[in-house]
Amino acid sequence: MDIAKSNIVRSDAGRDKGKLFVVLAAEGDFLLLADGKSRKVESPKRKKRKHVLFVADDDTRLSEKIKREEKITNSELRRALAAYRDAAQPDQEG
């Protein structure tokens, strides 16, 4: 599957390996990634497509804002990634 704007991806290489990011833009072989904490919206990480893995297609309000190129905040990114983590890995007791 081709990685597009507003998708959630996981870094597969580099010092940020294993971290989740939201794709803010796609520029040829490069993606602009942000997570709202270590990489803010104001200074997204530029990373090659081959160094990230597709995780999920985000279908929230944040996704629509990214696709329409509206202003988004770092807290919105953090909330979206936290919600995805909770849905993908619910707490297991025992």
Side-chain angles (χ1 to χ4, degrees), residues 4 10-11 13-14 18 36 38-39 43 45-46 52-54 56-57 59 67 72 84 86 89-90:
R10 186 176 67 232
S11 175
S38 62
R39 278 298 176 168
S43 59
K45 171 83 174 151
R46 188 169 181 255
V52 298
L53 298 172
F54 176 83
D57 187 13
D59 59 351
K67 288 176 184 173
I72 58 172
Y84 173 76
D86 290 344
Q89 302 169 352

Side-chain angles (χ1 to χ4, degrees), residues 3-93:
I3 298 171
K5 270 183 166 182
S6 80
N7 288 158
I8 296 175
V9 296
R10 186 176 67 232
S11 175
D12 195 35
R15 66 176 65 184
D16 56 4
K17 184 176 182 176
K19 288 187 179 180
L20 292 176
F21 294 96
V22 174
V23 179
L24 299 182
E27 302 173 342
D29 284 342
F30 291 92
L31 302 171
L32 294 179
L33 310 174
D35 65 359
K37 190 172 185 175
S38 62
R39 278 298 176 168
K40 310 268 183 182
V41 173
E42 300 82 25
S43 59
K45 171 83 174 151
R46 188 169 181 255
K47 199 163 185 84
K48 284 193 174 187
R49 285 179 188 267
K50 67 180 181 178
H51 294 154
V52 298
L53 298 172
F54 176 83
V55 173
D57 187 13
D58 190 22
D59 59 351
T60 60
R61 175 154 164 62
L62 176 66
S63 171
E64 294 303 317
K65 286 178 79 172
I66 292 171
K67 288 176 184 173
R68 289 192 305 253
E69 298 182 6
E70 292 180 13
K71 186 177 187 303
I72 58 172
T73 63
N74 291 310
S75 61
E76 287 176 316
L77 283 177
R78 288 191 305 268
R79 243 181 273 127
L81 290 173
Y84 173 76
R85 277 189 210 102
D86 290 344
Q89 302 169 352
D91 290 338
Q92 298 175 357
E93 293 184 26

